[in-house]
Amino acid sequence: MTAFSTVMTAQEKFTEQLQAEVEGQGIITIDQDPLLTDILNGDIAVPSSVATTSRVSAITTETKVKQDADELRGKASGMHQKVRGYRVQVYFGGNQRTNQTQAQKVGTRVTGMFPELRAYTTFESPHWRCRVGDFITYDDASAYMHKIKARGIAEAMVVKSEIYVTAEQLKKEQQRK
């Protein structure tokens, strides 16, 4: 009987094993993005950046997986080339959970006003920050920064950043020059 239950357990997904009811123990409920579930269950290959990172920081595994999931979504939507460009920073805070929540709220607020922009909430020890947009030129980023400031986010500023763009966007920008 034990061998049979072991075989069944080995066939279960990781998240199913965590959520299984075990007599005498508590119940675990997982509420997360389905993409994270797929990564945890091994249905999607985890980008190598989860295992290794070039900078030393107190970034949590949860945050890194969220960043990688965001990168996977960017690639899936055609935004697959990573280049140096600009983003508009709309939040810069401390390292508390409340700072993370505030960074996410500001990002949601900005993307609500400008749905064409993507928000990137990241933790680089010891600060939470939220940046929006993927701008190849400073002028494009600056134009959005002024629009964002006009909508009440006074701390908005243009920053250099790694951005995601399509090959088509790069080609258009090269032709503009």
Side-chain angles (χ1 to χ4, degrees):
M1 188 73 167
T2 306
F4 177 72
S5 65
T6 305
V7 171
M8 289 298 289
T9 303
Q11 293 176 355
E12 286 182 308
K13 301 283 186 174
F14 175 71
T15 54
E16 292 170 352
Q17 288 177 5
L18 284 176
Q19 295 181 92
E21 290 188 37
V22 177
E23 192 174 327
Q25 295 183 7
I27 297 173
I28 296 175
T29 303
I30 301 174
D31 182 28
Q32 66 186 6
D33 187 316
L35 185 58
L36 288 175
T37 301
D38 290 344
I39 290 171
L40 287 171
N41 288 332
D43 297 333
I44 293 178
V46 179
S48 61
S49 58
V50 171
T52 60
T53 181
S54 60
R55 67 176 184 272
V56 176
S57 70
I59 194 163
T60 64
T61 302
E62 174 187 354
T63 303
K64 188 62 184 154
V65 169
K66 284 180 182 177
Q67 289 172 356
D68 287 330
D70 187 49
E71 184 174 339
L72 286 173
R73 276 195 204 96
K75 289 179 180 179
S77 67
M79 306 288 279
H80 59 279
Q81 293 188 7
K82 198 172 191 179
V83 298
R84 290 296 289 166
Y86 301 90
R87 289 198 172 134
V88 178
Q89 183 166 289
V90 293
Y91 180 83
F92 182 82
N95 62 2
Q96 301 294 317
R97 177 66 112 188
T98 55
N99 298 116
Q100 177 186 14
T101 303
Q102 186 63 26
Q104 291 168 337
K105 282 182 182 178
V106 173
T108 301
R109 181 174 163 207
V110 172
T111 56
M113 292 185 273
F114 303 99
E116 66 276 16
L117 299 180
R118 294 181 63 208
Y120 302 89
T121 300
T122 58
F123 181 76
E124 292 182 36
S125 188
H127 301 285
W128 280 100
R129 36 186 117 217
C130 181
R131 296 176 176 175
V132 296
D134 291 290
F135 304 101
I136 296 173
T137 68
Y138 178 86
D139 292 339
D140 291 343
S142 182
Y144 264 98
M145 177 196 66
H146 292 297
K147 291 177 189 178
I148 292 168
K149 282 187 172 192
R151 295 281 188 100
I153 301 176
E155 60 273 6
M157 64 182 198
V158 176
V159 295
K160 287 184 179 182
S161 187
E162 292 279 322
I163 63 169
Y164 301 107
V165 296
T166 62
E168 184 179 308
Q169 287 173 308
L170 282 176
K171 189 175 183 178
K172 282 182 185 178
E173 183 56 33
Q174 289 170 350
Q175 290 172 351
R176 233 169 50 166
K177 289 181 182 180

